[in-house]
Amino acid sequence: MSEVVLNCGYVPLVDCAPLVIAKELGFAAEQGLALNLLRQPSWSALRDMLALGHLDAAHMLSPMPVAMSIGMGGLPARVDALMVLSVNGTVFGISNAVASTLEDVRFGDTTALLSGLSARGAKPLRVGIPFHYSMHRLLLSYWAAQAPDLQIEEVTVPPMRMADAVSDGFVDAFWVGEPWGGVAVQNNVAKLMMAGRDVWQFAPEKVLAARHEWASQNEDSVRRLMRAVYQASAWLDAPGNKPLAVEILGRSEHLSMSPDLIDPALTGHIVPRTGASPVTVDRFLQFHSHAATFPWRSQAAWIAHHLGADAAGIEKAKTCFRADLFRQNLSDIGADMPQSSEKTEGAMTLPTSVASARGEMILSPDAFFDGRTFDFAAAVR
């Protein structure tokens, strides 16, 4: 097998781990790939590098391929989500000044948090988000819509600058992927109030993305890449591998961070404020288990719907999440996967058995905090 060099972009977050592990532990090499991981300073830079062909593939916010493919924002390009890289893994935090007015609100109490923030008065809450077309913004909008009196002003801040934005008083709150919420806590400028999974228990956070044209012209490379990343994702979800994953991710060529900032995201032991004991968040960040890597087309439909797409846009969005390639490229290496590529999002409040390629598999709860569900079919009628 000849070696193929692939340029893969990423933003330094814990959930870039499948790409890092695929390279560092040899999963890519076993597939005949040399992964050249290229760190990007922002999501807009990564988007442009991929759209212009300077990157072959990328660690990307799940709404970005949808937005790009339906012509929303920035450079229009048809971009595919080959597979999901991570589920959940984000946090919502508030500045110490705002936190001082919400002393009695417990971590993860989404309703009390909404009530407390709404009671602050008419002044808008200035919230930092990493990118407009992000799951962070969609979850923020979905959650805040339940409190009409709460005014939100969204401000785009690169993840690496979020703690500084709070410290400088530029934002009152933020929604960001780890470890950057933990950095704000360690710097003693913010308090974490909830995890993204408290709003949607199974939100596709990052995807492995590639331009549709490139994927069509490089089928063998796509197959090798997907297999390497799938194997890395399975390795990451094994509890005994987490200490080594923390050490690898912390290296200077990857996140360049101390282990105590990386470990909470991988273990789900989140420290909400300086000096506090960790809060255990079940399924805080998932890479592989319960079909976490599967690109559900109904998730793409949910994203497009909440981006404001019409019926035609939602149908186009569904084609971005390449469940077909997932089945085609991973079936013969023993990957189990659901028989259906679509489901009613938010309908599972408990672990649920569904038909799969091997017979049946257990899916994680995917409920929304408000109990509503999203029927992808109804959305396009």
Side-chain angles (χ1 to χ4, degrees):
M1 183 185 293
S2 59
E3 184 176 76
V4 177
V5 178
L6 292 183
N7 292 321
C8 296
Y10 75 100
V11 171
L13 293 150
V14 174
D15 55 27
C16 73
L19 286 175
V20 172
I21 294 302
K23 175 180 179 176
E24 296 292 351
L25 294 190
F27 295 113
E30 289 174 3
Q31 293 293 328
L33 296 179
L35 285 186
N36 184 25
L37 299 183
L38 300 172
R39 179 168 169 158
Q40 302 299 306
S42 67
W43 291 114
S44 57
L46 180 141
R47 172 201 61 197
D48 294 348
M49 289 284 282
L50 183 69
L52 295 172
H54 300 305
L55 297 172
D56 299 310
H59 157 248
M60 184 172 269
L61 294 159
S62 60
M64 289 176 71
V66 171
M68 294 171 74
S69 295
I70 61 180
M72 289 186 174
L75 293 173
R78 189 174 176 188
V79 176
D80 290 341
L82 305 177
M83 59 193 296
V84 175
L85 287 179
S86 63
V87 169
N88 303 330
T90 64
V91 290
F92 176 80
I94 55 179
S95 69
N96 288 338
V98 175
S100 67
T101 68
L102 302 173
E103 293 289 348
D104 297 329
V105 178
R106 295 178 292 105
F107 183 92
D109 190 337
T110 57
T111 301
L113 180 57
L114 272 179
S115 297
L117 292 174
S118 298
R120 292 177 61 250
K123 183 180 178 181
L125 184 74
R126 193 173 172 89
V127 183
I129 54 173
F131 196 66
H132 184 72
Y133 298 108
S134 66
M135 185 58 67
H136 313 72
R137 185 185 75 82
L138 297 185
L139 293 180
L140 172 64
S141 298
Y142 185 87
W143 171 67
Q146 304 304 307
D149 294 336
L150 176 59
Q151 299 181 52
I152 298 288
E153 180 183 355
E154 298 170 358
V155 183
T156 300
V157 180
M160 300 79 79
R161 297 297 311 279
M162 202 65 78
D164 292 337
V166 180
S167 178
D168 295 343
F170 184 63
V171 298
D172 305 308
F174 56 84
W175 205 310
V176 74
E178 283 294 86
W180 300 105
V183 170
V185 169
Q186 189 175 80
N187 292 353
N188 198 24
V189 298
K191 179 180 179 181
L192 304 184
M193 300 304 295
M194 65 178 177
R197 55 92 58 212
D198 291 320
V199 175
W200 186 8
Q201 291 190 40
F202 200 80
E205 176 55 30
K206 303 299 190 307
V207 296
L208 177 62
R211 285 176 294 112
H212 179 79
E213 182 181 15
W214 180 87
S216 299
Q217 295 172 352
N218 296 272
E219 293 181 357
D220 184 58
S221 294
V222 168
R223 182 180 303 107
R224 298 187 198 188
L225 178 61
M226 291 178 68
R227 292 181 178 193
V229 172
Y230 181 85
Q231 291 167 331
S233 298
W235 184 91
L236 277 163
D237 264 4
N241 293 334
K242 295 189 187 299
L244 179 56
V246 169
E247 188 274 321
I248 292 172
L249 286 169
R251 294 174 185 172
S252 59
E253 64 267 35
H254 301 309
L255 300 189
S256 189
M257 281 190 173
S258 62
D260 63 310
L261 284 170
I262 299 171
D263 182 80
L266 292 183
T267 61
H269 298 150
I270 304 301
V271 179
R273 65 182 185 279
T274 304
S277 298
V279 174
T280 300
V281 181
D282 187 32
R283 304 185 308 279
F284 176 79
L285 173 61
Q286 293 173 257
F287 293 109
H288 179 80
S289 59
H290 308 298
T293 55
F294 189 74
W296 292 94
R297 291 189 168 179
S298 47
Q299 293 178 339
W302 186 92
I303 289 169
H305 175 72
H306 287 277
L307 288 177
D310 59 14
I314 291 174
E315 284 291 357
K316 190 172 184 179
K318 288 165 61 177
T319 68
C320 296
F321 273 42
R322 299 300 302 275
D324 57 329
L325 286 183
F326 192 93
R327 298 183 190 283
Q328 175 183 313
N329 292 332
L330 300 179
S331 292
D332 62 357
I333 63 169
D336 198 13
M337 58 194 75
Q339 286 190 355
S340 175
S341 297
E342 300 165 331
K343 59 187 172 72
T344 299
E345 297 297 331
M348 294 181 292
T349 59
L350 298 170
T352 302
S353 175
V354 299
S356 77
R358 294 183 188 172
E360 65 177 19
M361 68 190 310
I362 303 298
L363 299 183
S364 286
D366 69 349
F368 294 101
F369 83 105
D370 56 3
R372 289 193 290 176
T373 60
F374 175 78
D375 182 345
F376 69 92
V380 299
R381 286 201 292 265

